[in-house]
Amino acid sequence: MVKVRVTFTCLLLLASAMVFGQASEKIAVTFDELYDEPYSINKLFIAFQPLYGEIFATNVNAGYGLEAQYFHKNKFNIKGQFRKSYSSKFMDFNREIALRNSTVSITPEIFNYFEFGGTYHIKDFDESSTAKIFLHRKKMAKTKWSATVANYAEVPSKLRKIYGARLGTVIWDATADINRTLEKQGLTYADLVNSEGTSLPATYVDGNGETQDMQAFANLYATNVYVGGSLTWIRNIAVSFDQYDAAVDDGIFNVYFDVLFAPSVKLDPVSYNGFDYSTSAIKLNKIGVRAGFEGKYNRTLGWSYGGEVGYRPSVDGRGFFAVFKIAFPVFSSNLDNKVEAFQK
């Protein structure tokens, strides 16, 4: 038993020594800077989002989108985006339930989202920093690369920072579940009345003579204005190494925070048996906030990612949302193929 313990202890010490030896091993490399120009990024980025997912208390949804962004020198940038659920069966939650179970007359809206806005560069500057460049060789076997802790070099580089002021508008529409909304706000169908003062019945008799609970839905439309601030980091550096492949760090990363105000939030009346029952008793919230992040690369063909979380102007008590999106491909261009030529 003592021998086993001694042997086990020796193995642990040997393993620790090997790990320490690997960790303390340093690799020296020399490099040449090919360029370091964080201001020389492409002007136009166009992205296709094959998939986004949104947890929205008003209506959970997922689908596809398009996005475009234009940078005008170091003055401002403008951005537009569009998102839409693939279909009711592919995560347009309330619309699918309404199509299957609604007992009121409704053509449920497909979730649509439009956003357009701009960011004014309050302060656009660069500072000295270091870029983490991972070392790689094409000749290295993929199996060896995947099983190796990647080495990296810290290379002096410029880091561009942009403090921005944001302003824009958001327009969206969706199907709202009236049952859940009434329950959330402590209301009942008695609070929904038609022009004759009659309340929407809470139950109905189906074709088999059985009493069923009312399943009511209505379409919701919102126009929001947002104002906020952002911070963007941009690197655009390329280096070549003596023993490794050339590498780049061309990331563009942005974080932002917005306050949202809805000049217009409209919830359609509930239509049942030829009558429209007003939804004015349902409270609508016109103030919201959000925080988000976005990342992409300064490449002719690349990919991007982003996400945000917050409370969106909507039906009161059902405005929380969190969305994540990924885009591929992302096309970008500097919109100018002209180069300077000098006579020898």
Side-chain angles (χ1 to χ4, degrees):
M1 187 66 178
V2 174
K3 291 183 178 180
V4 173
R5 289 180 179 176
V6 172
T7 303
F8 182 70
T9 302
C10 292
L11 289 174
L12 286 177
L13 292 174
L14 180 60
S16 300
M18 293 176 64
V19 171
F20 179 78
Q22 291 178 356
S24 61
E25 183 181 355
K26 299 290 185 179
I27 298 177
V29 295
T30 58
F31 70 92
D32 288 323
E33 180 184 289
L34 302 179
Y35 60 81
D36 186 8
E37 300 177 352
Y39 290 93
S40 298
I41 63 171
N42 288 332
K43 297 178 181 179
L44 179 64
F45 295 82
I46 299 176
F48 172 67
Q49 297 167 356
L51 179 65
Y52 79 87
E54 179 174 276
I55 300 173
F56 185 19
T58 298
N59 182 34
V60 176
N61 62 94
Y64 65 95
L66 292 171
E67 186 174 288
Q69 185 173 22
Y70 171 76
F71 285 85
H72 182 71
K73 300 180 180 180
N74 62 343
K75 302 298 183 181
F76 66 87
N77 68 82
I78 55 177
K79 182 178 181 181
Q81 58 179 303
F82 161 72
R83 298 201 301 266
K84 185 183 185 71
S85 60
Y86 276 117
S87 68
S88 61
K89 292 184 179 181
F90 190 81
M91 293 304 289
D92 196 337
F93 191 73
N94 285 348
R95 183 170 185 266
E96 173 65 9
I97 296 177
L99 289 172
R100 292 185 179 186
N101 303 323
S102 177
T103 55
V104 300
S105 299
I106 181 177
T107 302
E109 283 284 354
I110 297 175
F111 181 83
N112 295 289
Y113 181 96
F114 302 88
E115 180 175 331
F116 181 80
T119 300
Y120 174 73
H121 298 184
I122 298 175
K123 187 176 182 181
D124 192 332
F125 64 102
D126 65 80
E127 61 185 22
S128 298
S129 180
T130 56
K132 182 182 290 187
I133 306 294
F134 287 94
L135 306 177
H136 179 258
R137 285 192 294 261
K138 291 181 180 179
K139 295 181 180 180
M140 182 182 294
K142 292 183 179 180
T143 53
K144 183 178 180 180
W145 171 256
S146 61
T148 303
V149 177
N151 292 312
Y152 65 90
E154 291 186 344
V155 177
S157 74
K158 297 176 184 177
L159 176 62
R160 180 182 175 187
K161 290 184 177 180
I162 302 173
Y163 293 102
R166 292 162 50 89
L167 178 66
T169 184
V170 175
I171 300 173
W172 61 270
D173 55 69
T175 304
D177 187 330
I178 300 301
N179 293 50
R180 293 186 177 184
T181 300
L182 294 175
E183 181 181 356
K184 182 69 176 180
Q185 297 190 9
L187 303 174
T188 66
Y189 283 114
D191 296 296
L192 309 184
V193 297
N194 61 21
S195 58
E196 298 180 354
T198 304
S199 297
L200 180 67
T203 60
Y204 70 99
V205 179
D206 64 15
N208 298 322
E210 297 181 359
T211 301
Q212 303 288 347
D213 292 332
M214 183 68 70
Q215 300 291 326
F217 297 84
N219 292 323
L220 179 64
Y221 307 88
T223 300
N224 306 334
V225 175
Y226 68 84
V227 59
S230 65
L231 174 58
T232 303
W233 294 270
I234 301 176
R235 291 189 194 275
N236 191 33
I237 182 174
V239 295
S240 63
F241 295 99
D242 51 354
Q243 300 176 3
Y244 294 89
D245 297 333
V248 300
D249 185 349
D250 57 352
I252 303 173
F253 188 75
N254 176 53
V255 294
Y256 57 89
F257 178 84
D258 297 327
V259 176
L260 301 97
F261 171 73
S264 174
V265 181
K266 177 187 175 184
L267 182 63
D268 281 348
V270 176
S271 298
Y272 180 69
N273 281 349
F275 291 94
D276 287 340
Y277 293 83
S278 174
T279 56
S280 59
I282 296 176
K283 297 178 183 178
L284 303 176
N285 176 47
K286 292 190 174 183
I287 301 294
V289 294
R290 68 177 179 180
F293 66 92
E294 300 169 322
K296 58 176 170 282
Y297 302 92
N298 183 48
R299 303 170 188 176
T300 303
L301 179 63
W303 66 286
S304 68
Y305 56 92
E308 59 184 40
V309 63
Y311 196 88
R312 183 178 290 159
S314 180
V315 176
D316 191 42
R318 301 189 62 79
F320 172 81
F321 77 97
V323 60
F324 179 78
K325 53 190 178 181
I326 187 168
F328 181 83
V330 177
F331 301 100
S332 69
S333 171
N334 62 8
L335 301 178
D336 186 5
N337 294 322
K338 179 182 177 181
V339 297
E340 294 185 3
F342 301 92
Q343 185 175 5
K344 292 182 179 180

